[in-house]
């Protein structure tokens, strides 16, 4: 018998599930949004993930359905579950990754540490929150934002007028999420894998370095994360995975505050940029782990295979030519670095690949990863 996993979405996360699927002997099929996407090697169907019949037809050919992204509408997911499809993570969990207001409310019920927040539907409500929080705050659209999109730091309620106008024009109405502007010293991420039968595996907490609202680097494990901080981050990750009923990989993005607290920032219920280091730096990489989890197979060990791992994103790529032309120099000069590319054409700001390096000395590992990645960029 061959196990068959269907992945909705043809992006780089689906692409990076292909190699571990082959190694496990798992058949992976991908429903891509268009021809020629990152996961084209496994794209057995092309169609609209928002159309229930398209997704249902795709799901008939697999044993379990999972995702490259969290954008499949809830009614489509619910219809699949009603039809007996094994969906991991399921719609009851995914709705908390799809809507930040739902997420904040549920995390509050679970007693998770998070910034002060409110749902606001007009300028007056936003101004009240600003007045109560030092005159500055973070405003977010509840749905659809990623990599810094749908997020603004505001110091006047008028700075969100266009979003309020868009809400008013939407026949369904709605609210914006406003959060306190957290005084944080750095950003962290905690990954947890959970299978339907309940087994949980926890990865080391990592430090993420953001530039322009986009993850640029990941240091694993997070430097100077003492035993207490690591235990708290792991407990938060496990409690959220269990409290929300997550199956598969969960990434919990965290703030470490200047007074040594951690607060939950965002959630992602899939493999995540903060876990790319594990492809080369952990006993079980996040993509293999996700497949194990959604198939309800025993989870793999999450131990690092070296004291330090560093992942550096390749953002944008060269202004002329492709990435392949840059391989020789990067590989010759940095043979300990591992290059992963996504089959995407270079474009300013676009994630087109990443580089990982592992070793015993953090400074050297970071240098190797950064220097190798720099070969794919133009000044």
């Amino acid at each position: 018998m061959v196990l068959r996993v269907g992945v909705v979405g043809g992006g780089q996360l689906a692409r990076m599930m292909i190699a571990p699927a082959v190694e496990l002997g798992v058949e992976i099929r991908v429903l891509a949004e268009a021809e020629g996407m990152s996961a084209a090697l496994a794209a057995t169907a092309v169609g609209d993930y928002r159309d229930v019949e398209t997704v249902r037809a795709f799901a008939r050919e697999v044993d379990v359905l999972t995702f490259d992204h969290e954008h499949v509408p809830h009614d489509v997911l619910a219809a699949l579950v009603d039809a007996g499809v094994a969906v991991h993570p399921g719609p009851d969990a995914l709705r908390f990754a799809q809507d930040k207001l739902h997420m904040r409310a549920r995390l509050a019920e679970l007693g998770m540490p998070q910034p002060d927040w409110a749902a606001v539907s007009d300028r007056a409500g936003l101004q009240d929150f600003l007045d109560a929080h030092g005159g500055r705050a973070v405003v977010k659209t509840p749905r659809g934002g990623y990599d810094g999109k749908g997020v603004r730091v505001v110091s006047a309620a008028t700075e969100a007028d266009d979003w309020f106008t868009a809400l008013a024009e939407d026949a369904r109405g709605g609210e914006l999420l406003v959060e306190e502007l957290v005084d944080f010293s750095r950003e962290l991420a905690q990954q947890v894998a959970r299978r339907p039968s309940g087994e949980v595996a926890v990865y080391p907490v990592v430090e993420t370095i953001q530039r322009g609202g986009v993850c640029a680097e990941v240091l694993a494990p997070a430097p100077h994360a003492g035993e207490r901080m690591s235990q708290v981050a792991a407990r938060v990750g496990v409690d959220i995975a269990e409290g929300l009923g997550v199956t598969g990989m969960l990434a919990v993005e965290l703030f470490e505050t200047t007074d040594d607290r951690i607060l939950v920032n965002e959630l992602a219920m899939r493999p995540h940029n903060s876990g790319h280091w594990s492809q080369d730096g952990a006993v079980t990489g996040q993509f293999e782990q996700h497949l194990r989890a959604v198939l309800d197979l025993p989870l793999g060990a999450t131990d690092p295979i070296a004291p330090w791992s560093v992942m550096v994103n390749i953002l944008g790529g060269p202004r002329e030519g492709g990435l392949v032309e840059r391989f020789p120099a990067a590989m010759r000069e940095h043979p300990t670095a591992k290059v992963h590319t996504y089959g995407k054409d270079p474009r300013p700001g676009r994630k087109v690949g990443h580089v990982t390096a592992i070793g015993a000395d953090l400074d050297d590992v970071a240098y190797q990863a950064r220097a190798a990645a720099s070969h794919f960029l133009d000044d």
Side-chain angles (χ1 to χ4, degrees):
M1 182 184 75
V2 176
L3 297 172
R4 301 167 300 171
V5 175
V7 184
V8 178
Q12 66 258 29
L13 300 180
R15 177 190 180 96
M16 287 183 277
M17 294 182 207
I18 297 172
V22 170
E23 292 169 352
L24 290 170
V26 170
E27 183 178 334
I28 188 166
R29 302 184 179 190
V30 171
L31 173 60
E33 296 89 330
E35 300 284 353
M37 294 191 69
S38 290
L41 286 169
T44 56
V46 175
D48 187 352
Y49 61 80
R50 296 164 298 185
D51 179 70
V52 65
E53 291 306 321
T54 297
V55 182
R56 186 151 45 198
F58 174 72
R60 291 192 189 103
E61 304 299 321
V62 299
D63 299 305
V64 62
L65 200 70
T66 190
F67 309 95
D68 171 85
H69 56 71
E70 292 115 337
H71 306 315
V72 180
H74 188 272
D75 61 335
V76 172
L77 297 172
L80 293 170
V81 172
D82 289 344
V85 177
V87 178
H88 296 298
D92 289 342
L94 269 173
R95 68 190 183 98
F96 297 111
Q98 293 174 331
D99 190 302
K100 296 179 178 65
L101 284 170
H102 290 332
M103 176 196 76
R104 287 294 180 210
R106 181 60 180 143
L107 292 182
E109 292 173 352
L110 293 173
M112 293 295 101
Q114 53 183 341
D116 287 342
W117 65 278
V120 294
S121 57
D122 54 32
R123 185 192 294 177
L126 177 54
Q127 190 60 55
D128 287 344
F129 190 92
L130 286 167
D131 292 343
H133 292 83
R136 298 186 75 204
V138 179
V139 179
K140 299 179 179 180
T141 55
R143 302 179 68 88
Y146 66 97
D147 284 347
K149 300 177 178 67
V151 179
R152 290 179 187 171
V153 176
V154 303
S155 54
T158 54
E159 294 176 48
D161 277 353
D162 58 330
W163 283 354
F164 285 126
T165 299
L167 288 176
E169 293 173 349
D170 185 340
R172 297 175 298 174
E175 299 170 307
L176 298 177
L177 171 64
V178 57
E179 300 174 350
E180 68 169 305
L181 189 60
V182 175
D183 185 13
F184 63 89
S185 55
R186 61 176 174 171
E187 295 186 62
L188 305 171
Q190 177 64 63
Q191 281 197 303
V192 173
R194 181 174 179 269
R195 54 191 282 215
S197 56
E199 182 190 5
V200 173
V202 179
Y203 284 83
V205 65
V206 302
E207 179 176 350
T208 64
I209 299 170
Q210 315 289 318
R211 297 193 183 102
V214 179
C215 180
E217 298 183 6
V218 174
L219 312 180
H224 313 298
E227 184 176 355
R228 174 187 167 278
M229 178 66 72
S230 297
Q231 289 176 347
V232 170
R235 187 72 260 161
V236 166
V238 171
D239 286 351
I240 291 175
E242 293 179 340
L244 303 186
V246 178
T247 46
M249 290 297 304
L250 167 71
V252 182
E253 297 181 52
L254 303 162
F255 293 126
E256 181 180 358
T257 67
T258 54
D259 57 354
D260 295 327
R261 295 176 298 138
I262 64 168
L263 302 175
V264 178
N265 180 24
E266 303 273 3
L267 303 179
M269 297 179 189
R270 50 175 169 74
H272 189 254
N273 204 165
S274 64
H276 289 352
W277 69 273
S278 66
Q279 286 178 285
D280 303 304
V283 173
T284 310
Q286 66 166 342
F287 297 99
E288 177 186 341
Q289 195 80 287
H290 187 71
L291 293 172
R292 289 184 182 219
V294 301
L295 287 165
D296 206 15
L297 295 171
L299 301 178
T302 58
D303 307 78
I305 61 174
W308 297 105
S309 298
V310 174
M311 188 284 305
V312 177
N313 273 324
I314 302 171
L315 299 173
R319 285 191 294 270
E320 295 184 4
L323 299 177
V324 173
E325 293 89 332
R326 307 295 180 98
F327 281 176
M331 293 174 175
R332 180 177 59 251
E333 296 182 26
H334 306 284
T336 61
K338 300 283 284 186
V339 178
H340 301 262
T341 59
Y342 304 157
K344 293 180 174 182
D345 293 329
R347 190 176 68 201
R350 191 182 205 187
K351 290 179 183 175
V352 294
H354 67 269
V355 174
T356 60
I358 65 173
D361 182 83
L362 177 57
D363 288 340
D364 180 64
V365 171
Y367 166 74
Q368 296 298 334
R370 291 165 183 162
S374 72
H375 283 279
F376 299 92
L377 306 173
D378 294 325
D379 293 333

